[in-house]
């Protein structure tokens, strides 16, 4: 099982990693369909999986439960595999309001979406990589289970451009338009081309580079690679392959067939509505669908064309749509021939399972009230059993695997409990919610545990440690933060209503020591790497529910596992089942880790991690965007505004390439402001 992956790292597998790698590889070689890597927080699960990918040599799909985690994983895999193709595939919407109808208020909500062109480019780069090479890792969010165009049609209509090929300029232009490239006379962006004299310049969908195709008479003479900013020639090619500029590709002949199918379905549906006495719904559906048909016939597209995807794909009613998984390689018998990694599986699996139901409920109203044909129901995400059929051998990674992963994996669970750093799971202390020590009067449920927490936090802060405390509600997080500030603690709160950029700022300032206490709700469970934290306090730990389940408790306890002085205080008057399991599992791991350290003479050391303050850079870029430019920038902008903006576009593209979307977004806003200034200057003069 060898392949073209080459792992590069200054580290070698350590702790439990060698055993975990061997165990997973043995399972894969034995043909095990499902395995689980139960890796504690900070044990290096991603590095373990990277070693497995290198050894299997198979294209790999890594699924994460949100864009931020996916970007973080993609960056880590890029560092491990710099010579291979690591791609990022997430939803390309910056903003998305799906089409919907609310019957009780008779409110129709039109689809409203803002597409992020850079993420769309990365999606195309993902599918093109899968169709052109085998050493590919795609890190995706759960959007990978949503409908995508047919890979066969996408691959079938690619263009080959090479010197010596009999083709004139006009023919190439027609071919580019036929595969959905857009002609422009302005600066090029992915998926566009322009004709200049006896040449055509093209920017493919998955790249930020220009290809200049030059002609001599009826023949292509040269294909040059041009830097999009400097216009300098980088290279000349013997051949160039261009994939379509859209994932949905429908040949002209198929379009006519699809239109006839839509008309036939419309006729049948109108008859059903009229028999049911739904005259208003029938008239609405007839008017809307005929308008869409006219647009498809004339220009090949209409708003909401994805709702007719079943007709364009030639699928039967109820048949699953094409998705990203169809672009991965398959064996001769049609079975998947790639590796699937489901990261933080205790969250990701349930997200995948829940997507279909939510989508169908919304579509049903649109169909029942005459806004869409019944075939719109088949423009959908995969059902969970369909997803299972489309992925091959799967490894679930989590510190707290769910019931599904445990049942699917059976005995094929590989534990990774020993950390390379020698750190052990934190000590757990249980304190009562009511009657807690330290209060001067008879405590209430809140004040008792809060006063005790203040005493403990003060001790940690005195010698430079940081403190996390979790509450059950956003309101309580805000109130506790204010309460702490009133008592001269440097505190801040963080929850889902705090803007992304502000969350990054707060976390960075917390690590720097500008805050000593960070109060949160659910966001403190996964994805926080804060080695300065010495104390984690969980208020109302005995309130059984999602936020105090076994999984949530173990994840929260893990926030103190990166510091040698890590402790966790659970405030509880009653011992719930979740508490018993979480405490039992933590103590089990501590015993194994302590025994290993004693046997090998290891002294645990707190993780040292540089504080990379992305927000300083973001704030600087934002300052530039509103006109507070550095002197050198002012001069460059005065001399050549167009070149200056082009350079900013290049910086934005570089940030996206590094998956630094926060910086890219700020640069995008800056460019918009600068473009506005340039237009204003021209108007004034």
């Amino acid at each position: 099982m060898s392949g073209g992956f080459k792992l590069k790292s200054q580290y070698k597998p350590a702790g439990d990693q060698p055993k975990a790698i061997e165990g997973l590889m043995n399972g894969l070689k034995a043909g095990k369909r499902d395995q689980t890597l139960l890796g504690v927080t900070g044990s290096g699960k991603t590095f373990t999986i990277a070693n497995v990918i290198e050894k299997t040599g198979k294209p790999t799909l890594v699924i994460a439960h949100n864009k931020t985690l996916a970007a973080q994983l993609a960056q880590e895999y890029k560092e491990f595999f710099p010579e291979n193709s690591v791609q990022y595939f997430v939803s390309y919407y910056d903003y998305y309001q799906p089409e919907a109808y609310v019957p009780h208020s008779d409110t129709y909500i039109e689809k409203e979406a803002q597409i992020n062109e850079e993420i769309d480019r990365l999606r195309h780069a993902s599918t093109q990589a899968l169709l052109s090479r085998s050493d590919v890792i795609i890190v995706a969010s759960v959007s990978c289970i949503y409908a995508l165009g047919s890979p066969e049609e996408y691959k079938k209509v690619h263009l080959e451009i090479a010197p010596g090929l009999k083709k004139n300029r006009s023919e190439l232009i027609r071919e580019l338009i036929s595969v959905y490239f857009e002609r422009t006379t302005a600066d090029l962006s992915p998926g566009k081309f322009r004709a200049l004299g006896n040449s055509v310049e093209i920017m493919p969908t998955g790249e930020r580079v220009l290809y200049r195709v030059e002609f001599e008479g009826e023949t292509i003479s040269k294909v040059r690679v041009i830097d999009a900013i400097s216009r300098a020639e980088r290279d000349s090619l013997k051949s160039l392959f261009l994939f379509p500029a859209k994932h949905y590709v429908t040949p002209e002949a198929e379009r006519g067939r699809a239109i006839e199918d839509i008309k036939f379905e419309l006729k049948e549906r109108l008859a059903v509505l009229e028999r049911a006495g739904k005259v208003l719904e029938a008239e609405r559906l007839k008017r809307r669908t005929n308008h869409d048909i006219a647009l498809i016939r004339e220009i090949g597209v209409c708003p909401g064309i994805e709702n007719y995807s079943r007709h364009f794909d030639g699928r039967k009613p109820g048949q699953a749509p094409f998705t990203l998984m169809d672009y991965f390689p398959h064996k001769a018998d049609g079975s998947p021939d790639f590796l699937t990694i489901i990261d933080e599986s205790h969250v990701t699996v349930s997200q995948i399972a829940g997507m279909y139901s939510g989508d169908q409920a919304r579509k049903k109203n649109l169909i029942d009230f005459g806004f869409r044909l019944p075939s719109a129901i088949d423009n959908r995400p995969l059902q969970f059993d369909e997803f299972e059929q489309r992925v091959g051998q799967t490894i679930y990674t989590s510190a707290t695997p769910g019931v599904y992963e445990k049942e699917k994996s059976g005995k094929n669970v590989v534990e990774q409990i020993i950390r390379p750093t020698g750190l052990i799971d934190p000590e757990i202390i249980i304190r009562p919610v009511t009657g807690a020590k330290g209060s001067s009067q008879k405590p209430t449920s809140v004040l008792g545990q809060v006063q005790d927490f203040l005493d403990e936090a003060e001790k940690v802060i005195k010698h430079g440690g940081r403190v996390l405390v979790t509450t059950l509600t956003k309101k309580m997080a805000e109130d506790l933060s204010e309460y702490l500030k009133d008592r001269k603690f440097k505190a801040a709160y963080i929850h889902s209503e705090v803007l992304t950029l502000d969350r990054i700022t707060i976390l960075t300032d917390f690590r720097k020591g500008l805050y000593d206490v960070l109060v949160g709700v659910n966001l403190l469970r996964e994805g926080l790497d804060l080695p300065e934290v010495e104390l984690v306090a969980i208020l109302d730990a005995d309130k059984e529910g999602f936020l105090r389940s076994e999984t949530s408790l173990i994840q929260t306890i893990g926030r103190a596992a990166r510091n040698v002085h890590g402790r966790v205080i659970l405030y509880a008057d009653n011992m719930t089942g979740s508490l018993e399991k979480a405490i039992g599992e933590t103590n089990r791991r501590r015993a194994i880790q302590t025994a290993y350290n004693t046997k090998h003479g290891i002294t645990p050391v707190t993780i040292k991690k540089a504080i990379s303050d992305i927000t300083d850079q973001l704030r600087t870029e934002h300052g530039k965007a509103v006109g507070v430019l550095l002197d050198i920038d002012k001069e460059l902008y005065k001399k050549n505004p167009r070149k200056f903006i082009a350079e900013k576009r290049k910086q934005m593209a570089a940030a996206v390439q590094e998956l630094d979307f926060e910086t890219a977004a700020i640069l995008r806003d800056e460019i918009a402001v600068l473009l506005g200034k340039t237009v204003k200057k021209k108007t004034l003069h």
Side-chain angles (χ1 to χ4, degrees):
M1 298 172 74
S2 61
F5 289 102
K6 189 173 181 181
L7 174 60
K8 292 192 175 182
S9 174
Q10 61 179 332
Y11 302 107
K12 298 294 182 185
D16 265 356
Q17 290 172 343
K19 185 180 71 175
I21 294 165
E22 182 183 4
L24 292 170
M25 285 304 302
N26 288 339
L28 291 172
K29 290 175 181 176
K32 301 297 184 185
R33 174 66 171 72
D34 299 278
Q35 297 184 87
T36 294
L37 173 60
L38 193 163
V40 298
T41 303
S43 64
K45 295 188 288 293
T46 305
F47 185 54
T48 296
I49 294 298
N51 277 272
V52 171
I53 291 171
E54 182 188 40
K55 291 179 182 297
T56 61
K58 286 188 175 184
T60 302
L61 171 63
V62 181
I63 307 177
H65 61 84
N66 62 49
K67 289 183 181 181
T68 304
L69 179 57
Q72 177 184 320
L73 288 169
Q75 186 56 44
E76 290 179 22
Y77 282 116
K78 276 180 179 285
E79 291 171 1
F80 288 140
F81 297 103
E83 296 178 9
N84 303 112
S85 179
V86 178
Q87 304 293 341
Y88 178 70
F89 187 98
V90 298
S91 169
Y92 52 34
Y93 294 116
D94 279 337
Y95 169 76
Y96 182 63
Q97 168 61 60
E99 181 183 32
Y101 177 69
V102 184
H104 72 268
S105 61
D106 190 26
T107 304
Y108 171 69
I109 303 168
E110 282 203 59
K111 174 183 171 182
E112 188 177 348
Q114 182 177 345
I115 292 177
N116 185 310
E117 290 185 1
E118 289 299 327
I119 294 181
D120 188 31
R121 179 177 68 81
L122 292 174
R123 286 166 64 92
H124 279 280
S126 297
T127 52
Q128 291 170 17
L130 286 171
L131 296 176
S132 59
R133 55 194 295 178
S134 60
D135 60 332
V136 182
I137 299 170
I138 307 292
V139 183
S141 66
V142 293
S143 65
C144 67
I145 71 168
Y146 278 79
L148 205 59
S150 163
E152 289 303 316
E153 292 297 335
Y154 185 73
K155 189 174 183 179
K156 190 189 301 180
V157 298
H158 74 270
L159 301 180
E160 181 180 4
I161 302 169
L165 193 66
K166 291 291 182 183
K167 192 187 301 284
N168 62 36
R169 178 176 173 271
S170 298
E171 288 173 331
L172 178 60
I173 289 172
R174 285 196 296 273
E175 288 179 348
L176 288 168
I177 292 171
S178 73
V179 292
Y180 308 105
F181 276 80
E182 183 181 336
R183 186 171 183 174
T184 182
T185 56
D187 289 339
L188 290 183
S189 57
K192 294 186 179 181
F193 74 93
R194 62 188 171 202
L196 299 172
N198 203 31
S199 66
V200 175
E201 292 185 344
I202 309 161
M203 185 175 284
T205 48
E207 302 177 56
R208 273 285 184 184
V209 68
L210 298 181
Y211 293 96
R212 181 185 293 155
V213 183
E214 299 177 359
F215 297 87
E216 287 184 3
E218 300 294 308
T219 305
I220 294 174
S221 59
K222 288 184 180 178
V223 180
R224 303 180 191 270
V225 184
I226 307 295
D227 186 281
I229 303 298
S230 68
R231 309 290 299 171
E233 182 176 341
R234 289 187 187 176
D235 197 4
S236 60
L237 302 180
K238 292 183 179 179
S239 64
L240 169 65
F241 289 90
L242 290 177
F243 285 92
K246 296 184 183 298
H247 280 117
Y248 286 95
V249 177
T250 308
E252 190 68 35
E254 290 296 301
R255 187 190 303 173
R257 178 199 54 75
I259 289 174
E260 291 305 312
D261 287 350
I262 294 169
K263 289 166 69 175
F264 182 77
E265 185 189 11
L266 174 63
K267 183 179 178 181
E268 286 191 327
R269 181 59 179 168
L270 290 176
V272 170
L273 291 173
E274 286 164 1
R275 281 198 300 271
K278 295 184 175 182
V279 180
L280 174 62
E281 289 83 350
E283 181 58 33
R284 177 189 290 148
L285 183 64
K286 181 179 179 181
R287 185 177 66 253
R288 288 170 60 89
T289 308
N290 282 331
H291 178 67
D292 287 347
I293 290 171
L295 287 174
I296 294 168
R297 182 184 290 113
E298 295 302 319
I299 62 176
V301 71
C302 73
I305 192 170
E306 65 274 7
N307 289 290
Y308 303 107
S309 62
R310 191 185 84 196
H311 296 294
F312 286 100
D313 292 343
R315 287 182 283 129
K316 296 177 181 177
Q319 188 175 345
F322 295 109
T323 65
L324 179 67
M325 276 76 82
D326 293 293
Y327 286 74
F328 278 86
H330 290 70
K331 298 175 184 176
D333 63 1
S335 61
D337 193 21
F338 60 95
L339 182 64
T340 301
I341 311 296
I342 301 186
D343 196 77
E344 298 289 3
S345 58
H346 60 284
V347 179
T348 309
V349 166
S350 59
Q351 276 201 1
I352 294 170
M355 292 295 176
Y356 175 79
S357 298
D359 179 82
Q360 296 295 285
R362 179 176 58 82
K363 294 271 179 61
K364 187 176 184 303
N365 276 340
L366 290 168
I367 293 165
D368 289 348
F369 289 90
F371 291 93
R372 288 292 170 195
L373 289 171
S375 56
I377 208 84
D378 289 320
N379 170 49
R380 59 176 175 82
L382 295 175
Q383 298 180 45
F384 194 69
D385 62 335
E386 294 170 338
F387 167 76
E388 290 180 306
Q389 294 164 13
R390 281 160 177 73
V391 294
Q393 291 182 296
T394 302
I395 298 174
Y396 309 94
T397 70
S398 174
T400 53
V403 174
Y404 172 84
E405 302 97 283
K406 291 176 182 175
E407 289 180 351
K408 295 290 286 186
S409 300
K411 295 181 180 179
N412 304 312
V413 176
V414 176
E415 288 195 330
Q416 188 167 296
I417 292 174
I418 308 301
R419 297 180 176 88
T421 57
L423 284 169
I424 63 174
D425 276 31
E427 174 191 4
I428 294 180
I429 302 163
I430 303 172
R431 297 268 173 83
V433 174
T434 56
K437 67 181 181 66
S439 55
S440 58
Q441 55 185 0
K442 186 175 180 180
T444 65
S445 175
V446 174
L447 285 180
Q449 59 187 336
V450 169
Q451 184 59 52
D452 184 81
F453 162 68
L454 294 182
D455 295 342
E456 294 293 340
E458 198 166 25
K459 296 174 190 174
V460 171
I461 294 166
K462 276 182 180 177
H463 64 81
R466 309 278 192 281
V467 180
L468 293 179
V469 54
T470 67
T471 65
L472 283 171
T473 66
K474 296 173 187 175
K475 180 69 165 60
M476 187 176 176
E478 294 172 8
D479 290 348
L480 180 56
S481 176
E482 289 303 312
Y483 186 82
L484 288 164
K485 289 176 188 176
D486 289 344
R487 280 146 187 79
K488 309 306 179 187
F489 284 85
K490 295 184 292 183
Y493 67 84
I494 182 172
H495 55 58
S496 60
E497 291 181 12
V498 177
L499 297 175
T500 301
L501 184 57
D502 292 334
R503 290 203 297 268
I504 296 169
T505 303
I506 292 167
L507 288 169
T508 303
D509 289 345
F510 178 62
R511 291 200 62 203
K512 285 180 173 180
L514 298 181
Y515 300 117
D516 294 320
V517 183
L518 186 58
V519 189
V521 191
N522 192 29
L523 288 177
L524 296 182
R525 293 193 300 115
E526 294 119 4
L528 291 183
D529 188 357
L530 306 169
E532 295 80 11
V533 172
E534 293 186 12
L535 174 64
V536 171
I538 303 178
L539 303 184
D540 300 305
D542 56 356
K543 299 295 187 290
E544 189 76 85
F546 172 71
L547 292 176
R548 298 295 182 262
S549 65
E550 176 192 356
T551 296
S552 295
L553 288 168
I554 292 175
Q555 289 284 347
T556 307
I557 289 167
R559 297 311 107 202
R562 288 177 167 83
N563 193 295
V564 72
H565 303 297
R567 292 184 304 136
V568 177
I569 300 178
L570 302 172
Y571 289 98
D573 289 331
N574 304 298
M575 188 57 63
T576 64
S578 294
L579 277 171
E580 286 182 351
K581 291 175 184 176
I583 294 167
E585 176 62 14
T586 302
N587 289 337
R588 180 185 78 86
R589 295 176 183 181
R590 277 175 59 85
I592 294 171
Q593 293 156 353
T594 302
Y596 182 90
N597 288 352
T598 301
K599 180 179 179 180
H600 294 87
I602 296 173
T603 301
V605 179
T606 298
I607 292 173
K608 300 295 182 185
K609 182 182 178 186
I611 304 174
S612 53
D613 189 0
I614 187 178
T615 54
D616 285 347
Q617 182 182 2
L618 295 181
R619 298 302 185 192
T620 302
E621 298 294 355
H622 186 266
K624 292 177 186 177
V626 296
V628 188
L629 303 174
L630 299 173
D631 289 340
I632 186 170
D633 282 353
K634 287 181 179 178
E635 292 304 315
L636 286 173
Y637 181 67
K638 285 178 182 177
K639 287 179 182 177
N640 191 335
R642 183 172 177 175
K643 186 175 180 180
F644 180 75
I645 292 170
E647 182 60 34
K648 291 296 174 187
R649 291 187 191 278
K650 189 174 182 180
Q651 292 173 14
M652 181 178 73
V656 171
Q657 194 64 33
E658 294 299 318
L659 304 177
D660 182 359
F661 295 109
E662 288 90 353
T663 299
I666 297 299
L667 283 164
R668 178 195 62 195
D669 295 341
E670 178 186 345
I671 290 165
V673 172
L674 292 171
L675 284 171
K677 288 184 174 224
T678 305
V679 171
K680 189 175 180 182
K681 275 186 181 179
K682 289 180 179 177
T683 305
L684 290 172
H685 292 288

